[in-house]
Amino acid sequence: MEEAYHIVNTKKDLATRHLYYHLAILKLMSMTYFRNKNFDKAQEFLSLMGSQLQQLKMNGKYMKTMLVMIIII
């Protein structure tokens, strides 16, 4: 799973074009590690997700949707 994320993460222009899906992958990675009781790794992916949201200064539907997903976790 981390190999798939690494491939997506290295293609920066792909990540910016399909930002919602890139953030959803980060959420999925975080949830997977959380369920496997690897809380440090889960927090790492949540931090990545939050930093990308802050870095892009997103507003509107992505920001609201992703914040709801983070709060649920």
Side-chain angles (χ1 to χ4, degrees):
M1 185 186 275
E2 280 196 46
E3 291 175 20
Y5 170 71
H6 180 67
I7 291 169
V8 171
N9 194 33
T10 56
K11 297 183 180 187
K12 293 293 182 188
D13 55 321
L14 179 68
T16 55
R17 286 187 299 184
H18 302 288
L19 186 59
Y20 177 81
Y21 299 109
H22 186 77
L23 293 172
I25 290 170
L26 288 173
K27 179 190 71 98
L28 179 66
M29 295 290 291
S30 178
M31 288 175 55
T32 301
Y33 281 115
F34 185 81
R35 287 180 175 217
N36 290 327
K37 296 184 179 17
N38 190 344
F39 303 116
D40 294 330
K41 208 61 159 152
Q43 183 62 40
E44 180 182 325
F45 281 103
L46 277 178
S47 296
L48 277 171
M49 191 171 154
S51 67
Q52 284 193 0
L53 285 170
Q54 289 299 324
Q55 183 182 27
L56 297 172
K57 295 182 180 164
M58 292 177 44
N59 55 14
K61 64 180 180 180
Y62 288 148
M63 184 67 150
K64 291 175 186 173
T65 303
M66 289 301 157
L67 284 177
V68 167
M69 289 180 183
I70 290 172
I71 291 170
I72 290 172
I73 293 173

